[in-house]
Amino acid sequence: MKTTNHDLAPKKIYTRGFPHRLWMLSYGVVVVFLGSCSLLPTKTFETQQSQTQDQKTIEPNPVIVPPPIFSSSSGDPNFVVKVVQNVGPAVVRIDSSRTITSRVPDEFNDPFFRRFFKDAAPQPRQRVEQGSGSGFIINSSGQIVTNSHVVDGADRVTVILKDGRTFDGKVLGEDPVTDVATIKIDANNLPTLSVGNSDALQPGEAVIAIGNPLGLNNTVTSGIISATGRSGSDIGASDKRVDYIQTDAAINPGNSGGPLLNARGQVIAMNTAIIRGAQGLGFAIPINTVQKIAQELIAKGKVDHPYLGVQMVTLTPENKERIKNVAGDGLNITADDGVLLVEIVPRSPASVAGLRVGDVIKSINNQPVTKIEEVQKLVEKSKIGTKLPIEVERNGQIVRVGVQPAPLPVRREG
């Protein structure tokens, strides 16, 4: 699948015909990620009193004790405090800086222009961009996970522990496709977080976020899981291969890379993104995904994702009509559902296998598909170099092809 790496500036991505902006939360790392703050609405509770109609005497008003905002399985209304006390030391602040060199227009490299302008010709200029995010310790010997966009392109990474100790961080690897990165610091006997199971999460569960939003160290917010399984397309990040957890715990720029914890203090996700202008809509990468990617980054320094080389759209009656209006008779789409291929990258695995623009994917590896998210998941599970059977509908006929996925080419911008 054709992917575009996340730019250094916020990027408008059109999904399902509607514009969305996905804002990554690395405070100050990339200019202006300060335009949106997620604020939680005040939660109010009402206690209703029942009265019997035949009661004539006036009873004294009973003392009403408001319930806690959240209650854990232990029934302790202060469970958030205990979680923060237990896990807070394993959450770190990550400061990063990188040097940006401005590019001189090619025209000034021409001898004529250089002779004409002489000393007045523009010279390359450098500036240093700085910012901060969050992370958490996964190994007592100094291994830390954070977001890729927190450390992307950094010349220097500094890790600050809650107790004030400061270390130079070495980036072991980063994966822009899932936005996960790993860092190593030279320290031992560090506190770590226990890990939960993000596959078992359900909407409504209480969660706690810890991080450094807007440079405010060791900030704690709490809320619930609003939804699970949000695809990158759902939130306007179609270049990311992640099913996000949605939460209403307040998340702001600088929370990037910090943990999202359950009521038992187990990390269940890594906070990563917000949508500009929204309130109570934060998104986190499930910890099962974070662990898998982090292990590969620690072992190899990179992650190879299977790649076909196609751009596609979920085929709906509305999309089908829109495409017919644009393409006219150029495309003969007979299918009513499936995933329509709208572009094939030249010399890509899809091109070599014979897939064509206008093909509608009906199944992959004998599993039916009707949405692009389903295609992405099945391709992600495939093996690089091993033929993947794909069934498409082409001009009303079923065609079977075998595509051999290649490693996803990663292109960095900026």
Side-chain angles (χ1 to χ4, degrees):
M1 281 163 283
K2 184 178 181 181
T3 60
T4 306
N5 293 319
H6 192 77
D7 284 341
L8 297 179
K11 183 176 189 178
K12 183 177 286 186
I13 303 172
Y14 287 87
T15 306
R16 299 179 183 171
F18 296 94
H20 295 266
R21 280 188 185 271
L22 177 74
W23 293 73
M24 294 304 179
L25 308 181
S26 180
Y27 169 55
V29 171
V30 201
V31 285
V32 287
F33 289 169
L34 306 178
S36 174
C37 296
S38 299
L39 302 177
L40 291 175
T42 303
K43 296 178 183 284
T44 59
F45 295 83
E46 297 180 358
T47 302
Q48 296 182 343
Q49 262 187 286
S50 62
Q51 295 181 334
T52 57
Q53 294 184 359
D54 58 346
Q55 189 172 4
K56 303 298 182 182
T57 59
I58 300 176
E59 298 288 342
N61 290 331
V63 177
I64 301 175
V65 180
I69 293 179
F70 298 112
S71 62
S72 66
S73 57
S74 65
D76 182 3
N78 293 318
F79 76 97
V80 174
V81 175
K82 293 182 178 179
V83 167
V84 173
Q85 289 174 343
N86 290 334
V87 308
V91 182
V92 303
R93 170 171 172 156
I94 300 173
D95 290 342
S96 62
S97 63
R98 65 173 182 171
T99 302
I100 304 297
T101 302
S102 62
R103 183 171 174 270
V104 176
D106 292 336
E107 291 80 0
F108 289 97
N109 292 323
D110 186 283
F112 171 79
F113 280 98
R114 297 189 68 85
R115 184 169 60 252
F116 180 79
F117 285 98
K118 296 183 179 179
D119 295 337
Q123 300 297 317
R125 295 184 178 182
Q126 291 186 334
R127 71 180 190 278
V128 177
E129 290 182 344
Q130 297 180 328
S132 68
S134 306
F136 53 94
I137 304 169
I138 59 172
N139 185 289
S140 60
S141 62
Q143 292 173 348
I144 297 167
V145 293
T146 185
N147 281 138
S148 173
H149 72 263
V150 170
V151 297
D152 184 32
D155 302 317
R156 183 177 182 183
V157 173
T158 303
V159 176
I160 305 169
L161 306 188
K162 187 178 180 181
D163 61 15
R165 286 184 290 168
T166 300
F167 299 88
D168 288 332
K170 176 184 178 182
V171 178
L172 299 179
E174 53 177 306
D175 180 40
V177 177
T178 56
D179 203 7
V180 175
T182 54
I183 300 172
K184 178 71 169 66
I185 61 175
D186 187 12
N188 291 294
N189 301 317
L190 296 175
T192 62
L193 295 183
S194 60
V195 177
N197 179 13
S198 54
D199 290 340
L201 300 177
Q202 296 187 33
E205 291 187 42
V207 290
I208 303 157
I210 306 178
N212 309 289
L214 304 174
L216 301 172
N217 292 351
N218 308 312
T219 295
V220 179
T221 58
S222 63
I224 62 170
I225 293 175
S226 306
T228 59
R230 295 292 194 210
S231 69
S233 298
D234 287 337
I235 69 171
S238 57
D239 61 328
K240 304 300 180 190
R241 295 189 186 180
V242 175
D243 279 343
Y244 295 91
I245 294 168
Q246 180 181 317
T247 178
D248 72 348
I251 295 175
N252 292 277
N255 272 117
S256 280
L260 188 69
L261 306 139
N262 61 19
R264 295 178 294 280
Q266 297 171 322
V267 58
I268 55 169
M270 181 167 66
N271 300 315
T272 189
I274 54 178
I275 296 177
R276 187 188 186 192
Q279 291 188 350
L281 291 177
F283 300 93
I285 304 170
I287 193 61
N288 290 9
T289 300
V290 173
Q291 278 190 303
K292 176 180 177 293
I293 299 299
Q295 288 170 0
E296 292 191 50
L297 291 174
I298 292 170
K300 303 187 300 182
K302 64 175 184 176
V303 178
D304 288 327
H305 295 274
Y307 161 78
L308 299 187
V310 300
Q311 281 190 329
M312 52 194 177
V313 63
T314 297
L315 195 58
T316 64
E318 294 79 11
N319 284 340
K320 184 176 180 179
E321 186 64 27
R322 189 180 299 118
I323 292 166
K324 282 186 175 181
N325 291 337
V326 173
D329 297 330
L331 285 178
N332 179 24
I333 305 174
T334 57
D336 294 320
D337 57 22
V339 177
L340 176 68
L341 302 184
V342 296
E343 183 179 339
I344 307 294
V345 178
R347 297 179 297 280
S348 67
S351 176
V352 172
L355 289 176
R356 304 176 186 174
V357 171
D359 285 349
V360 177
I361 299 178
K362 306 297 289 185
S363 72
I364 293 181
N365 205 16
N366 298 318
Q367 297 187 48
V369 294
T370 57
K371 300 177 181 179
I372 59 175
E373 293 84 4
E374 295 169 346
V375 173
Q376 289 175 326
K377 289 179 182 178
L378 290 171
V379 172
E380 185 68 16
K381 291 179 180 178
S382 67
K383 293 183 179 181
I384 294 172
T386 301
K387 281 195 175 182
L388 185 65
I390 298 180
E391 188 177 86
V392 301
E393 183 173 324
R394 179 184 299 165
N395 297 323
Q397 302 294 321
I398 297 298
V399 178
R400 294 175 178 83
V401 298
V403 183
Q404 188 170 303
L408 174 68
V410 176
R411 179 171 61 92
R412 298 192 181 281
E413 300 181 16

